[in-house]
Amino acid sequence: MRSIWNGAISFGLVSIPIKLVNATESHSISFRQIHVNDGGRVRYRKVCELDGEEVPSAEIGKGYEEADGSIVPITDEDLAQLPLATAKTIEIMSFVPAEEIDPLQMDAAYYLAANGATAAKPYTLLREALKRSRKVAIAKYALRGRERLGMLRVVDDVIAMHGLLWPDEIRAPEGVAPDADVTVRDAELDLADALMATLGEVEMASLHDDYREAVEALIVAKSGGAFEPTEAVVEPSGGQVIDLMAALERSVRAAKASRGEADGEGEGEAEGEGEGAAEAEVTPIRRKARAGAGAGTRAGTGAAAPKAVGGKKSTAASAKKTAASAATKKKTTTAGGKSATGKSTSRTAKTTAKSTAKTAAAKKTGSGAAASAKKTAAPRKRTSA
């Protein structure tokens, strides 16, 4: 690998000659700008604003633009005269635990290679010291015209250096966190832990850029003239998540199904604990009849709204209790019916007796009136003179 910087590591009074090599590379596909009408290449030209002429790279220098728009020229000689101790040295300042470095500070990564045979012994000494201490080294170095902050650590048998942003270059996360006061329940955390455990770990070496491979296939197809565009299939996201518990449960089941695993025990209890769980069991419970208003009929036909059961209460106990209540009400209703029937029979007997007496009196009166009328209607016999 080609080195991009040569210098030395300053480790107290020990100096280790090293070469700086890029530890990463970009595999992204670059495109050129073209003229759509004829496919001609579109290039950028560096033109001076004063005379409008194109300027070659040899005549281009640096300059700092002030607030009023004026330019202050800065030459490479001016920068070389600055008292920069780290111009050719990676100066180690301290050793700290790796946990103290915020990943937000991480920048570009480099490999540090020993430069020459004399550098092998001190290079190995620093590497083994870092391994045994389980710490990282914080250092300053200069690259591309500016001083930078770095972190040295061991990767396999090589010392690697990560460029770090300066602490004042990290923005504070103000106004980024949710404003609403949200409470997370233990049941939700348990399901989140179950989902994390189900997803498990992944081998970083197995991850790759699917999009880049698709672009490469597109370029090959179009260059051969056999390209037929097709729309990408995008699975629906399901919209807004309303029930977090149900979404977590479905995620756990989907993750287990993708790994060919069966659902674990105890998920039914977790589902019962969640409010509005999508897979909750429903058991109908009969409604209690109101006293004195057709209790016997309602005990047999009226049913209350279904109630969600979490699996912990016994359904058999509830059914037994309901049957006992219905039997008691039926007995009460039957007793009430008998009492009402006895009273009704007594009243009917009294009414019949009164009606019979009246009928007899009416017959007696009628016969007397008929005899009187017969006597009056009989003709008188005349006497002869």
Side-chain angles (χ1 to χ4, degrees), residues 48-379:
C48 178
E49 294 181 351
L50 297 180
D51 56 20
E53 295 183 359
E54 187 176 355
V55 180
S57 299
E59 298 180 8
I60 297 176
K62 301 182 181 68
Y64 176 79
E65 184 178 3
E66 295 186 324
D68 58 358
S70 60
I71 302 295
V72 178
I74 303 294
T75 64
D76 293 339
E77 290 76 13
D78 296 334
L79 296 175
Q81 294 177 1
L82 293 177
L84 186 60
T86 57
K88 287 293 182 179
T89 305
I90 299 175
E91 183 180 354
I92 294 178
M93 299 179 295
S94 65
F95 295 87
V96 300
E99 296 78 14
E100 293 187 9
I101 305 300
D102 191 340
L104 284 174
Q105 289 185 257
M106 296 289 186
D107 202 356
Y110 308 95
Y111 289 137
L112 303 181
N115 192 4
T118 57
K121 181 65 179 287
Y123 183 95
T124 304
L125 173 64
L126 176 59
R127 183 191 66 195
E128 296 304 317
L130 289 172
K131 281 184 179 181
R132 191 168 68 172
S133 66
R134 296 183 180 180
K135 293 183 177 181
V136 296
I138 302 301
K140 286 183 178 182
Y141 67 101
L143 184 65
R144 298 188 181 96
R146 53 175 294 218
E147 188 172 55
R148 303 168 187 263
L149 192 64
M151 178 190 74
L152 277 64
R153 69 184 184 98
V154 177
V155 177
D156 295 334
D157 290 332
V158 176
I159 298 176
M161 183 174 69
H162 295 269
L164 299 179
L165 299 175
W166 296 99
D168 58 357
E169 293 179 323
I170 304 298
R171 291 182 174 181
E174 296 179 357
V176 179
D179 295 333
D181 187 10
V182 180
T183 301
V184 179
R185 296 180 294 133
D186 291 340
E188 294 169 337
L189 286 174
D190 292 341
L191 279 174
D193 292 341
L195 177 57
M196 293 168 62
T198 304
L199 291 176
E201 300 178 355
V202 64
E203 294 183 4
M204 298 299 294
S206 66
L207 302 179
H208 58 278
D209 189 350
D210 295 329
Y211 181 77
R212 178 176 59 85
E213 293 179 357
V215 173
E216 291 175 349
L218 167 66
I219 294 172
V220 172
K222 293 204 73 172
S223 63
F227 173 71
E228 294 182 2
T230 57
E231 293 185 2
V233 178
V234 180
E235 297 182 359
S237 61
Q240 182 180 6
V241 177
I242 299 176
D243 191 336
L244 182 59
M245 289 288 291
L248 287 171
E249 291 164 1
R250 288 195 295 268
S251 300
V252 172
R253 289 195 294 270
K256 288 184 176 181
S258 65
R259 291 175 174 266
E261 300 176 5
D263 289 346
E265 297 180 357
E267 283 191 17
E269 296 182 1
E271 290 178 7
E273 293 175 358
E275 298 178 359
E279 302 295 334
E281 297 180 357
V282 178
T283 303
I285 299 178
R286 299 184 181 278
R287 185 192 310 162
K288 294 182 180 180
R290 296 182 180 177
T297 303
R298 294 188 183 182
T301 60
K307 181 178 179 182
V309 179
K312 294 184 179 180
K313 295 185 178 180
S314 174
T315 305
S318 299
K320 186 176 180 181
K321 185 177 180 181
T322 303
S325 177
T328 302
K329 289 179 181 178
K330 185 175 181 181
K331 184 177 179 181
T332 304
T333 304
T334 304
K338 289 181 179 180
S339 178
T341 302
K343 290 182 180 180
S344 176
T345 303
S346 178
R347 289 176 182 174
T348 303
K350 290 181 180 180
T351 303
T352 303
K354 289 182 180 181
S355 177
T356 303
K358 288 181 180 181
T359 303
K363 287 182 177 181
K364 185 176 181 181
T365 303
S367 60
S372 179
K374 185 176 182 182
K375 185 178 181 181
T376 304

